Amino acid sequence: MDRAHWIEAPRPGKLLQLARDTFLSSGDLDSHVVREPIQASWLRSSQLRVDTDTLDPSFLGLEGPSALALTAAPVLSALAEELANESVSIILTDQHGLVLQRTCPDPSLVRQLDKAYLSPGFSYAEEQVGTNGIGTALEAGVPTMVTGSEHFSGSLGGFACAGAPIHHPVTGALLGVLDLTSSVTHSNALLMFCARSTAQKIEQQLLARSGARELALFRDYLAACQHPGSGVMALSPDLVMMNSQAQQRFDRADQAALLARSADAAGAADPVTLVADLPSGLVARMDYRPAFAGPELAGGVVRIQVQSGLDSSTGAPHAAVPVMPGLAGTSATWQRVCQAVDTSRRAGSWVVLEGEAGVGKIALLRSVNQLRNGSGHFRVMDASECGPAWLDTVADELAAGAGSLVIRRAHLLDSDTVSGLSELLLEYADGRRGVWVALTMRSEPRNPEVDAQLLPHFSHTVEVPPLRHHLEDMHKLVPHLLGRLNRGNNLGISPSALAQLMRLPWLGNVEQLRRVLLRVAQQRRSGTIELDDLPGECRATSRRRLTQLESLERDAVVKALVIHRGNKDKAASDLGMSRATIYRKIRDYGIVLTI
């Protein structure tokens, strides 16, 4: 279908109204009256069960000016001046149909738009309001004119809408829609032409800004490449560059690991230094420096130095990685951490373990103690349980002269306790070969008192990575945890269920995975865990942390869909929501369906 077909003149109002009524009552379409793009949209809207009489779009709100809105601002300002005496509204939306901004000089039209909820913060996707210039342009990906009774909802029949998609000029990604809306009585043939030309001007503006950013990034990239012996990467939301030295030095697996590690620095406005344990066994130091185009962040340049044959935490030569009792994982990242902690234990060097909650710091220390001290004494003193006698107990443990003492969550200690603990550690510093002491703490936020007074007593710090940085260990970790949780029963997991688990961000790390598997094991005690056995939080791929209410809603949607074997109509009915709403929930929460 050629592009011109989408913007041909709409049919006369009375014939179109009759065709719409016929379609809504019987499902029959008059192809002589209703244009093909409108036919397709009506069918989609009907399948989504969009209400034809009542408008109820979701209000999603706005979090501040988007990058698209900021780039489009001068273009839309100029257009607003040109249309200052016209009864036309200028509307900009994102790629999901969320209205970002609206400009309209006619108070009467503003009132009509407000009544139709066509205002900032509301969604005008097809699944929300049916056929319209915004949602239908997004679905089709081409400029679309919708006039009068071509709208699926009767409440929009008084409007004429011309929507033109806006694409990124470099990547081609759909960014949003520029929509011009007027009343049907004020509509004319120039509405669509004006919308298309304005969208093209916004794309040109995007190209100019993108070009300036890419030029600034490329300049810094070339400067970094002048240093001999360095692998260099340049990163931005739109591109990745890697110089020949990096491509020749690292195989594909190592390159993928470098890119994954660089994600921790992407978007940072300050320099960052990272250490990456690569699948090949190499250790790479990654120095990230941001690149700017004027005040705007253009991306970043990463210089890569190989620390071949050295441990990333201690700088010691590599040794064979021991088999760690009670732990699972064979990735280079995880084994490097295990090796660093084991090396410290064998040398009697006190160590600090940093990392997010739930990554397994205590489990790692317990495993090393069991490996090197057999059934020897292992005591954990939790800073969250600090009381009047807490320091006395620590003193008794240090005086015992044997075993391992772990100060857990040290970042929670108050100033007085930090000072007292520092004095105790100093007193027993000469007896390090007696009691081995380890500290665990979060990487962020920092406790300045702990950093200043306690860390000097410890020879080095080991960063325990979050689970999302070594997801390849899930192949070993999941069966290991299932074996511990379900002793005596043979409980396995299917490849599809394991693959789904590996798609998730695991913001709660290994502890969150353990809780999930415990819930599954309480329901299925033998056999094979399938995708449908996973709880709601594992059937969605949202990368943001959900509120408790959102988590409950997500789980309810997943449960209803599983019960009704993917039938969205029945699931929506059980939940008391419309079919359009359940589609939006599935999309927003990233719910995965297999039925």
Side-chain angles (χ1 to χ4, degrees):
M1 182 181 303
D2 61 27
R3 187 174 290 253
H5 185 80
W6 290 86
I7 56 173
E8 66 183 56
R11 305 302 183 188
K14 290 185 178 180
L15 289 177
L16 188 59
Q17 176 65 55
L18 180 60
R20 177 178 175 274
D21 292 342
T22 300
F23 172 75
L24 295 179
S25 61
S26 66
D28 294 333
L29 278 167
D30 187 341
S31 59
H32 297 291
V33 176
V34 184
R35 296 180 293 141
E36 280 191 36
I38 303 302
Q39 292 179 43
S41 179
W42 282 4
L43 289 170
R44 288 193 299 267
S45 302
S46 179
Q47 291 170 356
L48 289 169
R49 300 291 182 86
V50 176
D51 196 316
T52 59
D53 299 313
T54 304
L55 285 174
D56 187 25
S58 296
F59 179 76
L60 305 178
L62 299 175
E63 297 180 354
S66 67
L68 176 61
L70 292 173
T71 302
V75 176
L76 299 186
S77 178
L79 178 62
E81 291 183 10
E82 293 179 14
L83 301 179
N85 297 319
E86 304 292 334
S87 182
V88 177
S89 175
I90 305 169
I91 298 169
L92 182 69
T93 81
D94 70 4
Q95 71 273 29
H96 302 301
L98 175 66
V99 179
L100 301 175
Q101 63 183 59
R102 183 190 73 188
T103 303
C104 182
D106 184 349
S108 176
L109 181 57
V110 167
R111 289 191 293 271
Q112 295 177 52
L113 295 172
D114 287 344
K115 188 176 180 180
Y117 305 105
L118 186 45
S119 58
F122 284 93
S123 172
Y124 249 65
E126 263 194 357
E127 65 188 43
Q128 295 285 330
V129 297
T131 307
N132 72 94
I134 294 168
T136 304
L138 286 171
E139 289 292 331
V142 295
T144 304
M145 182 82 178
V146 180
T147 301
S149 295
E150 288 186 327
H151 289 91
F152 189 76
S153 172
S155 302
L156 299 177
F159 295 111
C161 308
I166 301 168
H167 293 89
H168 192 285
V170 177
T171 66
L174 180 60
L175 302 180
V177 165
L178 185 282
D179 174 80
L180 298 181
T181 294
S182 70
S183 66
V184 172
T185 55
H186 288 89
S187 175
N188 62 64
L190 293 178
L191 207 61
M192 188 72 256
F193 172 79
C194 186
R196 292 181 64 183
S197 62
T198 303
Q200 290 170 357
K201 290 177 182 177
I202 294 173
E203 291 176 349
Q204 292 169 3
Q205 190 79 2
L206 286 166
L207 180 61
R209 293 189 66 173
S210 178
R213 290 195 303 268
E214 290 174 358
L215 182 61
L217 180 61
F218 190 59
R219 179 195 61 220
D220 289 1
Y221 168 73
L222 290 178
C225 289
Q226 299 304 310
H227 297 275
S230 294
V232 180
M233 293 193 305
L235 310 166
S236 79
D238 302 322
L239 61 86
V240 174
M241 292 184 286
M242 184 178 292
N243 72 345
S244 58
Q245 289 177 318
Q247 295 180 45
Q248 295 168 6
R249 183 69 181 86
F250 305 107
D251 61 23
R252 289 189 177 182
D254 281 359
Q255 290 177 25
L258 289 168
L259 287 171
R261 190 72 174 101
S262 68
D264 289 336
D270 298 305
V272 178
T273 298
L274 304 169
V275 174
D277 293 300
L278 305 180
S280 64
L282 296 175
V283 179
R285 175 189 174 93
M286 305 172 66
D287 292 311
Y288 166 90
R289 296 295 180 269
F292 292 91
E296 186 176 4
L297 182 66
V301 174
V302 180
R303 290 184 59 191
I304 309 164
Q305 297 287 342
V306 176
Q307 298 173 291
S308 180
L310 294 180
D311 182 275
S312 60
S313 300
T314 65
H318 287 307
V321 180
V323 176
M324 306 296 294
L327 299 180
T330 57
S331 69
T333 299
W334 179 245
Q335 290 200 355
R336 194 74 62 186
V337 171
C338 293
Q339 183 181 18
V341 179
D342 179 59
T343 299
S344 297
R345 181 67 180 90
R346 286 188 288 110
S349 300
W350 293 358
V351 68
V352 177
L353 266 62
E354 286 189 359
E356 299 175 5
V359 294
K361 297 185 287 291
I362 296 297
L364 177 54
L365 292 170
R366 193 183 303 277
S367 177
V368 167
N369 181 76
Q370 183 179 346
L371 179 67
R372 300 302 172 188
N373 197 30
S375 58
H377 184 67
F378 183 81
R379 179 65 182 271
V380 178
M381 298 292 297
D382 198 321
S384 66
E385 301 170 356
C386 186
W390 194 83
L391 282 176
D392 293 337
T393 305
V394 172
D396 292 341
E397 291 291 330
L398 290 170
S404 301
L405 172 65
V406 178
I407 307 298
R408 186 183 189 189
R409 291 187 275 216
H411 56 282
L412 299 179
L413 293 172
D414 59 48
S415 298
D416 292 339
T417 306
V418 168
S419 298
L421 180 58
S422 178
E423 292 177 5
L424 285 173
L425 295 177
L426 182 62
E427 181 181 350
Y428 288 93
D430 292 336
R432 292 186 180 186
R433 295 195 179 276
V435 178
W436 183 61
V437 183
L439 228 64
T440 72
M441 55 192 289
R442 298 274 189 92
S443 302
E444 295 292 341
R446 307 297 301 187
N447 182 331
E449 299 282 351
V450 170
D451 289 351
Q453 298 188 54
L454 294 187
L455 294 194
H457 296 292
F458 296 82
S459 60
H460 64 279
T461 297
V462 175
E463 183 77 24
V464 183
L467 180 56
R468 60 185 175 274
H469 287 172
H470 58 111
L471 284 173
E472 60 270 36
D473 284 330
M474 294 279 279
H475 291 282
K476 298 286 187 181
L477 185 58
V478 170
H480 171 75
L481 291 174
L482 286 174
R484 295 172 64 91
L485 294 170
N486 202 39
R487 296 184 186 276
N489 292 316
N490 183 19
L491 182 60
I493 186 166
S494 70
S496 61
L498 181 60
Q500 176 60 19
L501 293 180
M502 293 181 68
R503 293 188 186 102
L504 305 177
W506 297 110
L507 300 179
N509 295 296
V510 179
E511 177 56 27
Q512 182 190 3
L513 175 62
R514 189 195 68 81
R515 291 196 304 268
V516 164
L517 295 177
L518 177 60
R519 289 172 59 189
V520 175
Q522 289 171 342
Q523 300 296 321
R524 176 183 284 277
R525 297 175 183 83
S526 62
T528 302
I529 297 171
E530 300 292 348
L531 189 56
D532 288 343
D533 295 319
L534 298 178
E537 65 183 285
C538 297
R539 301 292 297 278
T541 56
S542 174
R543 291 281 166 173
R544 63 185 178 88
R545 190 180 293 274
L546 302 180
T547 66
Q548 185 177 6
L549 185 61
E550 287 175 326
S551 297
L552 291 172
E553 182 180 55
R554 175 206 59 204
D555 291 350
V557 171
V558 170
K559 183 178 180 180
L561 288 168
V562 170
I563 289 173
H564 295 291
R565 301 188 60 78
N567 188 307
K568 300 176 186 65
D569 286 338
K570 293 181 179 179
S573 178
D574 276 3
L575 296 169
M577 61 177 61
S578 69
R579 197 168 192 266
T581 299
I582 201 170
Y583 266 95
R584 178 167 51 83
K585 298 298 182 185
I586 291 171
R587 182 193 66 203
D588 291 347
Y589 293 134
I591 295 172
V592 177
L593 298 173
T594 59
I595 301 170

